[in-house]
């Protein structure tokens, strides 16, 4: 009786009862038709039961399935107001995002993004943004040397004639920026040109020489993508001197400076953000979410057709003025 049975199964294989009134799980193998949902959603402290159920239902749907309020109200017995409130809970906690985009024909549509783990998605996006910023700022221009203060000297006679000035080099015609605030992004843009075309691999000397003209473009309001397209579009098949070609394009295609805004121009208030109507899913501008104007004040629809008014023919006493009726009575026989 005191011997230990080595062939007896371990207790972990049996059902473990931690509480006589707790939950018991009966798990069966499912070959297909199941959805993996994290405990961070099913055991969320701030979400309601309807919001957790809607999130699990949306994650089980295939790509492109409609998840608007009207479609969910047809699927579940809850009303539109409760479903709209649950969707707003999911948006506030990061499990749902509704993005408004404009189609090619000019219509505004709502694209719904469902996140199964929003915290992991935010961490991945932050890590990718940090890596991309690190790649852009990989090459930075050297710090400028301090310019010595000019020393005033008394004018001296110049008996010998001065030699004729030498013609300026092509690099002297390159535009120069007013400030040095755009030098770092300009140098990073030049260093990353080799990603668009391997032939645009520039040396450190060429990057330092072309950084001021690119900074001048940025200072005049040109975006980095516009500068990159102007430098890399339509390159010749045989490119021998890439730095000379870039210097030529920076000089010849320099955009004009932006016009100054009038000092007395009134500043218009910013319009309220776009919202999605909880009733008809139409985009409208409002400071807070809710219903649009048509859903708040619906037009009354008459069940009976409008009655046709019978008009009295002209010339009858019903439409004649009082004076004309009295005159007609006086002219008649007595």
């Amino acid at each position: 009786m005191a011997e230990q049975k080595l062939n007896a199964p371990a207790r972990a294989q049996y059902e473990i009862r931690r509480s006589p009134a707790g939950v018991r799980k009966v798990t069966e193998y499912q070959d297909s038709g199941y959805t993996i949902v994290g405990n961070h959603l099913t055991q969320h402290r701030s979400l309601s039961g309807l919001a957790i159920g809607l999130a699990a239902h949306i994650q089980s749907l295939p790509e492109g399935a409609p998840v608007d309020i009207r479609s969910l109200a047809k699927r579940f017995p809850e009303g539109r107001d409760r479903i709209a409130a649950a969707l707003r809970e999911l948006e506030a906690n990061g499990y749902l995002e509704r993005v408004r985009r404009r189609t090619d024909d000019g219509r505004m549509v709502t694209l719904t993004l469902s996140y199964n783990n929003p915290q992991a998605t935010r961490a991945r996006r932050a890590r990718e943004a940090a890596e991309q910023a690190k790649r852009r700022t990989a090459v930075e221009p050297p710090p400028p040397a301090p310019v010595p203060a000019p020393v005033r000297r008394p004018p001296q006679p110049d008996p010998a004639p001065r030699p004729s000035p030498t013609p300026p080099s092509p690099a002297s015609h390159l535009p120069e920026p007013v400030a040095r605030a755009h030098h770092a992004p300009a140098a990073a843009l030049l260093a990353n040109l080799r990603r668009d075309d391997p032939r645009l691999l520039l040396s450190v000397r060429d990057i330092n020489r072309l950084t001021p003209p690119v900074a001048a473009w940025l200072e005049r309001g040109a975006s980095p993508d516009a500068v990159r397209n102007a430098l890399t579009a339509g390159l010749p098949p045989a490119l021998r001197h890439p730095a000379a070609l870039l210097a030529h394009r920076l000089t010849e295609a320099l955009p004009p400076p932006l016009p100054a805004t009038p000092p007395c121009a009134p500043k218009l208030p910013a319009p309220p953000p776009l919202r999605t109507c909880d009733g008809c899913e139409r985009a409208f501008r409002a400071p807070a979410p809710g219903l649009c104007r048509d859903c708040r004040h619906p037009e009354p629809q008459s069940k009976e057709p409008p009655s046709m008014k019978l008009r009295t023919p002209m010339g009858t006493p019903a439409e004649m003025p009082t004076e004309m009726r009295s005159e007609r009575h006086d002219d008649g026989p007595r």
Side-chain angles (χ1 to χ4, degrees):
M1 297 296 293
E3 286 188 8
Q4 184 180 3
K5 300 293 184 179
L6 300 179
N7 57 349
R11 184 175 177 81
Q13 298 182 7
Y14 291 97
E15 183 182 20
I16 300 176
R17 297 183 58 184
R18 298 183 181 274
S19 174
V23 64
R24 299 183 182 181
K25 295 183 180 180
V26 180
T27 305
E28 302 291 344
Y29 174 74
Q30 302 180 98
D31 54 350
S32 61
Y34 60 91
T35 303
I36 299 177
V37 182
N39 291 340
H40 55 82
L41 173 61
T42 56
Q43 300 179 9
H44 204 283
R45 295 288 185 178
S46 303
L47 293 177
S48 60
L50 178 58
I52 295 174
L54 282 180
H57 172 71
I58 292 173
Q59 292 182 15
S60 66
L61 294 176
E63 290 286 341
V67 290
D68 55 311
I69 299 177
R70 184 177 304 175
S71 302
L72 295 176
K74 292 180 181 178
R75 172 62 178 80
F76 298 101
E78 286 80 6
R80 292 188 178 183
D81 296 338
R82 295 185 61 188
I83 291 178
L87 292 178
R88 283 197 292 268
E89 290 183 29
L90 295 177
E91 284 188 88
N93 289 273
Y95 287 94
L96 203 67
E97 182 181 4
R98 290 186 283 189
V99 183
R100 297 166 185 86
R101 294 182 179 178
R102 187 179 300 274
T103 59
D104 296 337
D105 54 356
R107 297 184 299 107
M108 293 292 295
V109 295
T110 302
L111 177 63
T112 304
L113 302 178
S114 176
Y115 299 93
N116 62 342
N117 194 347
Q119 186 175 2
T121 303
R122 286 193 297 267
R124 176 179 56 82
R125 289 179 177 177
R127 185 171 59 254
E128 292 176 355
E131 293 177 357
Q132 187 176 6
K134 185 178 180 180
R135 288 195 302 267
R136 289 182 177 178
T137 58
V139 178
E140 295 185 359
V147 180
V151 180
R152 295 184 179 181
R153 297 180 179 180
Q156 299 178 359
D158 191 5
R162 296 183 178 179
S164 58
T166 58
S169 61
S172 61
H173 296 283
L174 294 176
E176 292 285 342
V178 178
R180 303 184 62 88
H182 300 283
H183 277 222
L189 189 149
L190 291 172
N192 290 326
L193 289 180
R194 54 185 174 182
R195 301 181 184 272
D196 300 333
D197 195 329
R199 298 177 299 174
L200 297 179
L201 179 60
L202 303 176
S203 63
V204 178
R205 179 180 179 183
D206 294 334
I207 290 177
N208 295 337
R209 183 170 63 92
L210 297 178
T211 294
V214 175
W217 278 58
L218 299 177
E219 191 177 39
R220 296 192 176 191
S223 63
D225 293 338
V227 179
R228 186 181 298 104
N229 293 336
L231 296 179
T232 59
L235 294 176
L239 186 58
R240 298 182 178 179
H241 304 285
L245 177 61
L246 297 181
H248 174 74
R249 290 189 174 187
L250 290 173
T251 304
E252 297 298 330
L254 180 65
L258 294 175
T261 56
C264 299
K267 294 184 178 179
L268 300 178
L274 284 173
R275 305 288 183 179
T276 301
C277 179
D278 295 340
C280 61
E281 291 291 316
R282 185 173 62 182
F284 68 104
R285 295 188 179 275
L291 299 176
C292 63
R293 180 179 57 187
D294 296 340
C295 294
R296 291 197 307 269
H297 308 288
E299 297 182 358
Q301 298 181 358
S302 177
K303 299 182 179 179
E304 300 181 356
S307 60
M308 300 180 62
K309 298 181 180 180
L310 299 178
R311 300 181 63 184
T312 307
M314 294 297 295
T316 58
E319 294 184 358
M320 296 175 60
T322 307
E323 295 80 0
M324 296 179 63
R325 293 201 299 268
S326 61
E327 292 178 0
R328 184 175 181 180
H329 180 72
D330 294 342
D331 294 342
R334 297 182 179 179

